[in-house]
Amino acid sequence: MDLKINIEKLDDIMQAFYSLTKIKIVIFDEERNVIRAYPQNDCAFCKKMKSYAHTAEQCTKNDINIFNECKKKGELIIYTCHAGLVEGCAPLKQNEKIFGYIMFGQISDLPSRNALCQNISNICKEYNLDEKTFLQVSKSIKLKSYEDIMASAKIFEACISYIILNEMLLPEFDKTMLECEQYISTHLDNVNVETLCKHFKLSRTTLYDIFRNKTGHGVATFIRNKQLDEAKRLLSETNLSISEISSKCGFTDYNYFSRVFKKKFGYSARYLSKK
């Protein structure tokens, strides 16, 4: 799935998270491709783990498993990876539809550097790795208390909400939906399914899929509701006649407008009209 990304704002919030927590953060698309990361490079320990085919394969399996679990549960999961490091993963969602994942990690919750070294020694034996080399690169692993990790997780979730709320990262469908909404709002007097398809060079099927995914309604229903909402606003805030307003909002049949207006709002347009 293609994504609309506000790189400047996204990088800014990711850098802020790292500045506060000193924990790496990575964003993936739905196919597990890395979109953005801060810092960009893995810590020396993880980089070394991924330099061997058999341990790199375990890293990939670990990511696949946690993405699947995130997709199933739909929430942040904090776990220990195959290399003994603590990580967190949460789904990126828009209208309950997952379009990516965001992770933090490459840290340890062990109580001391000695405890970390002992754990790494055990991992080296399990995967037949050079212990001296991995103990050396383990200096890149940051130690965090359980309390600090949980506090960072809360900040992490707040960052996710901020990213979604401020539309720093959106599925391409949502980008098109926003553009359609803007077009409809400025062409209420002359807009329909055909004009949208022509303007955005989309098939009717694709357009319907976008609207169903975003709103749960068809395109025509969405347009009519927008027209009626604007008509209600104009009736309340202007001195225009009902016929003028119905025409401005795309209704060529006055009687039809009166009928659908009453059906939607429960009262007639005359109730709000100042004329």
Side-chain angles (χ1 to χ4, degrees):
M1 179 186 293
D2 293 330
L3 299 175
K4 175 190 175 186
I5 307 171
N6 187 321
I7 292 176
E8 184 177 351
K9 288 186 177 181
L10 192 59
D11 285 352
D12 185 58
I13 195 67
M14 293 174 74
Q15 289 175 31
F17 177 81
Y18 182 80
S19 178
L20 189 63
T21 65
K22 297 297 184 283
I23 298 175
K24 180 181 176 71
I25 185 170
V26 187
I27 296 175
F28 300 82
D29 65 16
E30 196 176 11
E31 287 74 38
R32 295 181 288 106
N33 301 306
V34 175
I35 300 300
R36 306 296 291 175
Y38 194 88
Q40 290 187 10
N41 297 322
D42 289 328
C43 70
F45 177 83
C46 289
K47 186 176 181 180
K48 197 67 179 175
M49 285 292 289
K50 293 176 182 178
S51 69
Y52 298 95
H54 66 301
T55 47
E57 182 181 358
Q58 289 301 315
C59 291
T60 300
K61 286 182 178 179
N62 180 88
D63 288 348
I64 292 173
N65 290 337
I66 200 62
F67 289 157
N68 288 338
E69 190 172 353
C70 268
K71 188 172 185 177
K72 182 179 178 181
K73 294 185 176 180
E75 61 184 22
L76 170 65
I77 297 170
I78 297 173
Y79 60 97
T80 301
C81 77
H82 70 102
L85 300 186
V86 175
E87 297 181 330
C89 181
L92 291 166
K93 296 187 290 186
Q94 189 76 340
N95 298 314
E96 297 307 310
K97 182 177 177 60
I98 294 174
F99 63 88
Y101 301 90
I102 182 166
M103 297 178 72
F104 73 81
Q106 300 183 353
I107 55 176
S108 174
D109 62 349
L110 293 174
S112 67
R113 188 63 59 177
N114 286 338
L116 175 63
C117 289
Q118 181 58 55
N119 190 58
I120 289 172
S121 295
N122 294 335
I123 289 169
C124 287
K125 291 175 184 176
E126 180 182 353
Y127 290 106
N128 194 27
L129 301 170
D130 180 63
E131 184 176 332
K132 183 178 179 180
T133 298
F134 276 87
L135 287 176
Q136 180 66 30
V137 295
S138 71
K139 295 175 183 178
S140 65
I141 300 172
K142 296 181 176 64
L143 299 181
K144 296 282 184 180
S145 68
Y146 173 81
E147 290 75 16
D148 282 347
I149 292 174
M150 291 301 104
S152 298
K154 289 182 179 179
I155 297 170
F156 179 72
E157 289 186 298
C159 288
I160 295 173
S161 297
Y162 187 77
I163 287 169
I164 299 298
L165 182 64
N166 288 275
E167 299 175 351
M168 298 178 194
L169 191 64
L170 288 173
E172 191 67 24
F173 264 20
D174 280 4
K175 175 188 174 184
T176 305
M177 181 66 202
L178 288 172
E179 292 173 347
C180 285
E181 285 190 68
Q182 292 170 356
Y183 183 87
I184 291 168
S185 295
T186 54
H187 297 81
L188 286 174
D189 62 331
N190 184 30
V191 62
N192 53 39
V193 175
E194 287 69 27
T195 56
L196 285 175
C197 288
K198 183 177 180 180
H199 182 80
F200 291 101
K201 297 180 174 58
L202 298 171
S203 69
R204 292 176 70 96
T205 300
T206 299
L207 189 66
Y208 274 108
D209 285 344
I210 292 171
F211 275 77
R212 286 287 182 189
N213 178 65
K214 179 70 176 178
T215 71
H217 300 293
V219 187
T221 299
F222 181 87
I223 292 172
R224 186 174 68 240
N225 285 335
K226 281 284 188 181
Q227 291 170 326
L228 289 171
D229 287 341
E230 177 63 8
K232 180 182 177 182
R233 186 190 71 80
L234 292 173
L235 285 166
S236 300
E237 299 177 8
T238 73
N239 292 316
L240 295 173
S241 67
I242 295 176
S243 61
E244 288 175 311
I245 289 172
S246 65
S247 179
K248 284 177 68 70
C249 294
F251 295 92
T252 55
D253 187 327
Y254 176 86
N255 291 326
Y256 174 73
F257 167 73
S258 298
R259 188 165 64 253
V260 294
F261 186 95
K262 186 173 183 179
K263 183 177 180 180
K264 177 174 171 63
F265 298 112
Y267 49 81
S268 70
R270 291 186 179 280
Y271 178 76
L272 292 178
S273 177
K274 295 181 173 59
K275 283 194 175 183

